[in-house]
C-alpha cells in the first residue's frame, strides 16, 4: 500500500547526536562516580532517560537526569549535525506532498535546538516529544498521537528509526516500519526486530514512497 505519511525518530535517525549522548552520559557518570564502558553506555542510547537512570539508581535518578540534561544542552551545538542527505531528502518528500512528523523520546527544548541547528525545523507537520505523551515509545501512543494530528491512517504511514523502540512503536500502532543502517548499535541489531524496510541510505526512502 502507498505511503503518504512518514514519521521519523530524531536522534540517531535524522540528526547525529551519538557523540553528544555519549559525552552527556560520561559526564553524568563521572559526576556520580560511576563507571561504565562505552559499550555499556551505548545500550542507554534510545530509551527515555528516566527509565535508564531509575534502573541504575532509583534514589539518585532525578539528580542524574538533571545533570545529564544540563550538560547535554550546554554542549549541544558543539556536537550535533544532520546525517548525510537528510535535509535534501526530507525537503523532497515534503515537496512531493508527503505528510511528515517527528516522534521522539526527547524533551521539546532539545528537539527544537536540534532541528534549528540542522535547518530541519520548517519541514515537519507535527512534532511529538516525550512531553506530549504519558507512554513513550515503544508504546504506540506517540505514533498514534502524531497520526491523529495529521489526520493520517496507520496503514499508509511509515515509522522510521534507529532503535528497537522505534520499530516496535510503529508495529504497535499498525504502521509500516523502517530501520536505518547508520544506527549507532548497528544494522544487525535492528534487523532482529523485523522492520518492513531497512534504509542503507536515507535516499532509499524516495524509492519506497515512489517520490
Amino acid at each position: 500500500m502507498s505511503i503518504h505519511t512518514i514519521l521519523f525518530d530524531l536522534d540517531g535517525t535524522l540528526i547525529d547526536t551519538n557523540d553528544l549522548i555519549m559525552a552527556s552520559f560520561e559526564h553524568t557518570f563521572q559526576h556520580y562516580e560511576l563507571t561504565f564502558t562505552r559499550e555499556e553506555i551505548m545500550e542507554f542510547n534510545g530509551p527515555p532517560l528516566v527509565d535508564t537512570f531509575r534502573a541504575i539508581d532509583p534514589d539518585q535518578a532525578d539528580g542524574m537526569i538533571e545533570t545529564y540534561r544540563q550538560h547535554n544542552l550546554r554542549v549541544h551545538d558543539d556536537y550535533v549535525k544532520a546525517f548525510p542527505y537528510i535535509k535534501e531528502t526530507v525537503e523532497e518528500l515534503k515537496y512531493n506532498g508527503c505528510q511528515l512528523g517527528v516522534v521522539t523520546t526527547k524533551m521539546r527544548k532539545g528537539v527544537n535546538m536540534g532541528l534549528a541547528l540542522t535547518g530541519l525545523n520548517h519541514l515537519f507537520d507535527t512534532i511529538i516529544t516525550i512531553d506530549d505523551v504519558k507512554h513513550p515509545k515503544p508504546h504506540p501512543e506517540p505514533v498514534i498521537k502524531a497520526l491523529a494530528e495529521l489526520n493520517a491512517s496507520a496503514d499508509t504511514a511509515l515509522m522510521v528509526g534507529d532503535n528497537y523502540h522505534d520499530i516496535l512503536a510503529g508495529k504497535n500502532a499498525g504502521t509500516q516500519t523502517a530501520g536505518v543502517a547508520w544506527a549507532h548499535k548497528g544494522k544487525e541489531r535492528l534487523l532482529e526486530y523485523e522492520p518492513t524496510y531497512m534504509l542503507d541510505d536515507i535516499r532509499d526512502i524516495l524509492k519506497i514512497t515512489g517520490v
Side-chain angles (χ1 to χ4, degrees):
M1 186 171 290
S2 297
I3 294 169
H4 304 303
T5 304
I6 306 172
L7 306 176
F8 295 95
D9 175 54
L10 184 62
D11 289 8
T13 300
L14 296 176
I15 64 176
D16 186 352
T17 54
N18 292 326
D19 289 342
L20 172 65
I21 290 168
M22 292 292 289
S24 300
F25 274 120
E26 288 171 349
H27 170 82
T28 303
F29 293 143
Q30 183 177 15
H31 181 81
Y32 283 88
E33 299 183 345
L34 297 170
T35 302
F36 291 93
T37 66
R38 285 186 66 83
E39 290 71 23
E40 288 171 329
I41 294 174
M42 280 180 65
E43 296 302 314
F44 303 144
N45 184 350
L49 289 176
V50 64
D51 293 348
T52 295
F53 286 125
R54 281 180 180 170
I56 292 170
D57 188 337
D59 294 332
Q60 298 194 92
D62 290 346
M64 295 170 81
I65 291 169
E66 184 61 23
T67 299
Y68 176 101
R69 286 179 173 156
Q70 286 181 1
H71 184 268
N72 188 277
L73 294 175
R74 185 169 63 249
V75 301
H76 178 278
D77 291 2
D78 296 333
Y79 286 95
V80 175
K81 59 184 182 296
F83 283 109
Y85 307 112
I86 292 292
K87 190 167 187 285
E88 305 94 311
T89 301
V90 175
E91 286 175 338
E92 189 161 354
L93 291 167
K94 188 172 184 68
Y95 177 79
N96 283 277
C98 291
Q99 292 183 296
L100 303 175
V102 168
V103 178
T104 174
T105 57
K106 198 169 185 175
M107 293 179 71
R108 186 165 292 274
K109 183 176 181 179
V111 171
N112 290 343
M113 287 177 67
L115 291 174
L117 182 66
T118 54
L120 298 171
N121 50 327
H122 63 293
L123 296 172
F124 297 99
D125 305 301
T126 186
I127 298 172
I128 304 299
T129 74
I130 198 166
D131 301 319
D132 304 313
V133 297
K134 291 182 178 179
H135 307 289
K137 298 177 293 186
H139 194 281
E141 182 189 351
V143 176
I144 292 170
K145 187 176 179 71
L147 293 174
E149 290 197 358
L150 296 172
N151 194 26
S153 176
D155 59 6
T156 58
L158 179 70
M159 178 69 215
V160 183
D162 70 308
N163 232 303
Y164 74 91
H165 63 281
D166 303 311
I167 306 304
L168 294 181
K171 287 187 173 187
N172 291 337
T175 73
Q176 297 180 66
T177 58
V180 299
W182 53 95
H184 201 205
K185 297 175 186 175
K187 175 180 178 179
E188 297 306 315
R189 285 281 295 275
L190 274 185
L191 286 172
E192 294 175 9
Y193 295 90
E194 300 181 337
T196 316
Y197 306 98
M198 177 58 68
L199 308 179
D200 291 309
D201 183 303
I202 189 60
R203 293 169 294 183
D204 293 343
I205 205 167
L206 302 176
K207 302 170 193 171
I208 293 169
T209 57
V211 168

